[in-house]
Amino acid sequence: MSEDSSNLQGIVTNLQPPTASSPLVRKLGSLCLLSEEEISFLEGWQNNTIDVEAGVDFFVEGTERKTTFIMLEGWSIRYTVLSNGRRQILSYALPGDILGLHINFNAKATYSAAALSTSRLAVVDPRRILEIYQKFPILASGLSWATAREFAILGDQTVRLGRLSAKARLAHLLLELWHRLELIGNNEGNWLQLPMTQSDLADTLGLSLVHTNRSMAALRKSGLVSMTKNHIKLENIDALVQMAEFNPDHLAEFSI
Amino acid sequence: MSEDSSNLQGIVTNLQPPTASSPLVRKLGSLCLLSEEEISFLEGWQNNTIDVEAGVDFFVEGTERKTTFIMLEGWSIRYTVLSNGRRQILSYALPGDILGLHINFNAKATYSAAALSTSRLAVVDPRRILEIYQKFPILASGLSWATAREFAILGDQTVRLGRLSAKARLAHLLLELWHRLELIGNNEGNWLQLPMTQSDLADTLGLSLVHTNRSMAALRKSGLVSMTKNHIKLENIDALVQMAEFNPDHLAEFSI
DNA sequence: CGAGGAGTTGAAGCAGGTCAAGCGCTGTGG
DNA sequence: CCACAGCGCTTGACCTGCTTCAACTCCTCG
């Protein structure tokens, strides 16, 4: 595995040793040296937590959006549903990711968010975000980085949907998730454990369920991935990267 | 800035300061009451301008990204090109829009940006953005709103590509652009003057050029739009909104 | 007056959608 | 302990929306 990631240099940097703490502190701490004060502010920020069961919305499109959430455990999705029942998943949120960081106090949510697996979230008062920007310049640039990364991820999703074939879309998404899990230390080698169904994948990739299944089978037949019950193994990451034109730089951490 | 642009053809450094109030001040000023100090800060922020000719890149994927740009005049696109030459346009930037607001100092641009029509841009030192957050809380929440809106626009683009038919995609995009132009006061009634070609539209909508042309013809034949040389008229906005499931709330300004 | 870019149209092919059926697991209740 | 309901996955057959290839028409500009 270490040689597989050798061509993806600069991704895994760990300035802040993972001394327990929240995923967000680990994430931002891997970017820059956080002071004790900053860490304790961030930790205190996340004191108020809720547990959300799989399938439950915690953010509903069209309703007023008064809180910001930070994923502590589990997976969630941001999505919209059209009137004909078709759903489009915009992105996945993993531990350490922030939902609703840039809040528009008077506006309504432009998407819904739901837990994919049983999740724990911190509930944050968005007014305290401006506080971060005022008081903690290093944290502020960390949040700015996190925002740029969210844009890159959503931009990649746009390219997937607009210009990749079904097989390449699937490969691209698997690589994105594998890299993101890798960066938060939730991977075991080339194995991926995904909480979503093929129906969720279809709604992410803009495909039908049937064709998503066939694309998965195609990846399997060409030896690029293999599957067991709950796990997917990326058998040839270089080949996947090439066929999907995946660019790991888009997910990179930055150093200082 | 002139040293950065010296190697880029078609980019002309501009020494004279902007005259009246900039589009960005108008945009943020429509959201909240800005103080004299905030306005003069924002105006001073945009003193350093460049002119970019149509088709010229001012932001190149994979290169280091050291500056933030603010559109003053003209249109530009954010896009990526795949190895087979296929291009995906991610979004359009109109006067008052900011490119590279959330900068990751050490990272590379994850997309390119080019002028669609001859454009004037302000070149901004991204370090001064953190200054805004520290010193001007009202401006800061304005930037936060602008960011949330960018996400909404890119999210809409994702839904378009993932779950709408070709005809609906086109209608949805036309509505987005019409609303955005309306909000910055660049519209005359139901007429749209677009600087892009059908090939650009195709690369935005994830379609082939031929099918984009046919989708446009289909909208025309069903009486939803009409066209002259350089203009498109939205003949029945309600019907367009319904067929494209367009939600204008995603583009809304906020009040207070 | 000729070249080249933008738009338009026709014809044929195919990637992916839709409909339909069946499989295997898991949980639940009789 | 079995039955059976339901969900997730798989596969076959057919259909269609979009792509591709190829031509032709404008229009503009040199």
Side-chain angles (χ1 to χ4, degrees):
Chain A
M1 196 43 250
S2 40
E3 61 273 12
D4 271 331
S5 50
S6 61
N7 58 337
L8 315 172
Q9 285 174 357
I11 289 191
V12 182
T13 52
N14 246 330
L15 299 179
Q16 199 77 35
T19 49
S21 66
S22 65
L24 180 60
V25 168
R26 286 203 302 277
K27 179 174 166 177
L28 295 180
S30 75
L31 309 175
C32 49
L33 221 45
L34 299 176
S35 69
E36 283 302 322
E37 192 191 0
E38 287 165 328
I39 291 176
S40 66
F41 179 91
L42 274 186
E43 295 287 10
W45 206 36
Q46 303 172 68
N47 269 343
N48 187 15
T49 70
I50 56 171
D51 290 335
V52 181
E53 283 173 34
V56 174
D57 282 355
F58 54 91
F59 216 95
V60 178
E61 178 173 3
T63 64
E64 262 190 44
R65 191 165 56 117
K66 294 204 174 115
T67 52
T68 298
F69 296 93
I70 302 171
M71 293 297 298
L72 300 178
E73 288 169 38
W75 291 55
S76 63
I77 52 172
R78 300 195 301 119
Y79 71 97
T80 54
V81 176
L82 301 180
S83 65
N84 56 10
R86 303 183 105 190
R87 178 178 64 151
Q88 179 63 50
I89 293 176
L90 301 176
S91 65
Y92 293 88
L94 272 52
D97 289 343
I98 306 174
L99 291 117
L101 177 60
H102 299 282
I103 210 146
N104 172 346
F105 291 100
N106 279 35
K108 292 166 178 168
T110 58
Y111 53 85
S112 301
L116 255 192
S117 56
T118 305
S119 299
R120 172 161 297 181
L121 300 109
V123 180
V124 169
D125 183 343
R127 274 165 294 205
R128 302 203 71 191
I129 294 168
L130 294 179
E131 208 179 323
I132 290 182
Y133 278 103
Q134 283 162 36
K135 292 185 187 166
F136 303 109
I138 293 183
L139 279 186
S141 60
L143 292 182
S144 185
W145 161 79
T147 304
R149 193 170 181 266
E150 290 287 315
F151 270 115
I153 289 172
L154 195 49
D156 272 9
Q157 165 75 337
T158 304
V159 175
R160 268 199 292 264
L161 295 177
R163 287 296 181 226
L164 295 189
S165 69
K167 204 175 154 187
R169 278 183 221 185
L170 180 54
H172 198 285
L173 179 63
L174 293 177
L175 286 167
E176 176 195 310
L177 296 174
W178 182 78
H179 271 87
R180 290 175 63 188
L181 287 169
E182 186 84 352
L183 289 169
I184 59 173
N186 280 17
N187 264 354
E188 309 127 31
N190 291 5
W191 291 95
L192 266 174
Q193 189 183 0
L194 301 180
M196 63 273 217
T197 65
Q198 291 192 355
S199 173
D200 295 325
L201 284 176
D203 289 345
T204 308
L205 301 173
L207 299 170
S208 68
L209 168 58
V210 170
H211 202 67
T212 301
N213 181 286
R214 291 193 163 114
S215 303
M216 190 70 94
L219 286 184
R220 234 185 291 129
K221 273 164 205 153
S222 42
L224 294 170
V225 308
S226 60
M227 298 167 65
T228 64
K229 196 100 225 312
N230 288 317
H231 295 259
I232 299 177
K233 185 175 182 188
L234 308 185
E235 294 287 351
N236 187 339
I237 291 185
D238 287 347
L240 285 166
V241 164
Q242 195 175 7
M243 77 155 285
E245 302 209 31
F246 183 78
N247 187 343
D249 288 349
H250 294 188
L251 301 172
E253 313 280 339
F254 73 5
S255 42
I256 298 195
Chain B
M1 197 49 232
S2 39
E3 70 276 9
D4 276 333
S5 53
S6 58
N7 55 342
L8 298 174
Q9 291 177 358
I11 295 186
V12 180
T13 305
N14 224 343
L15 295 178
Q16 70 261 38
T19 49
S21 81
S22 64
L24 180 61
V25 168
R26 286 203 301 275
K27 180 174 165 176
L28 294 179
S30 75
L31 309 174
C32 48
L33 220 46
L34 298 176
S35 69
E36 284 300 322
E37 192 190 0
E38 286 165 328
I39 290 175
S40 65
F41 180 91
L42 274 186
E43 296 286 11
W45 206 35
Q46 301 172 68
N47 267 343
N48 188 13
T49 69
I50 57 171
D51 290 336
V52 182
E53 284 173 32
V56 174
D57 282 356
F58 54 92
F59 216 94
V60 178
E61 178 172 3
T63 62
E64 264 190 42
R65 193 164 56 115
K66 293 199 174 124
T67 53
T68 298
F69 295 93
I70 302 170
M71 293 296 299
L72 300 178
E73 289 169 36
W75 291 57
S76 62
I77 52 172
R78 299 196 302 118
Y79 71 97
T80 55
V81 176
L82 302 179
S83 65
N84 57 11
R86 301 182 107 190
R87 177 178 65 152
Q88 178 62 50
I89 293 176
L90 302 176
S91 65
Y92 293 89
L94 273 51
D97 289 343
I98 306 175
L99 290 117
L101 177 60
H102 299 282
I103 211 146
N104 172 347
F105 291 101
N106 279 36
K108 292 166 178 167
T110 58
Y111 54 85
S112 301
L116 255 191
S117 55
T118 304
S119 298
R120 173 162 297 183
L121 299 105
V123 181
V124 169
D125 182 344
R127 274 165 294 208
R128 303 203 71 188
I129 294 166
L130 293 179
E131 209 179 320
I132 290 182
Y133 277 103
Q134 282 162 36
K135 293 187 185 164
F136 303 110
I138 293 182
L139 280 186
S141 60
L143 292 183
S144 185
W145 161 79
T147 304
R149 191 169 183 267
E150 290 288 314
F151 271 115
I153 289 172
L154 194 50
D156 273 9
Q157 165 76 337
T158 304
V159 174
R160 267 198 292 264
L161 294 177
R163 287 296 180 226
L164 296 188
S165 70
K167 203 173 154 189
R169 279 183 220 184
L170 180 54
H172 198 284
L173 179 63
L174 293 177
L175 286 167
E176 176 195 311
L177 296 175
W178 182 77
H179 271 87
R180 290 175 65 188
L181 287 169
E182 187 84 353
L183 289 171
I184 59 173
N186 281 17
N187 264 355
E188 309 127 31
N190 291 5
W191 291 93
L192 266 175
Q193 188 182 2
L194 301 180
M196 62 273 216
T197 64
Q198 290 192 356
S199 173
D200 295 325
L201 284 175
D203 288 346
T204 308
L205 301 173
L207 298 170
S208 67
L209 167 59
V210 170
H211 202 67
T212 301
N213 180 286
R214 290 192 164 114
S215 303
M216 190 70 95
L219 286 184
R220 231 185 295 128
K221 271 163 205 155
S222 42
L224 295 170
V225 308
S226 60
M227 297 167 65
T228 64
K229 199 97 226 312
N230 289 317
H231 294 258
I232 299 177
K233 185 174 182 187
L234 308 185
E235 293 286 352
N236 188 338
I237 291 185
D238 287 347
L240 284 167
V241 164
Q242 194 174 8
M243 77 154 287
E245 303 210 29
F246 182 79
N247 187 343
D249 287 348
H250 293 188
L251 300 172
E253 312 280 340
F254 73 6
S255 42
I256 297 183

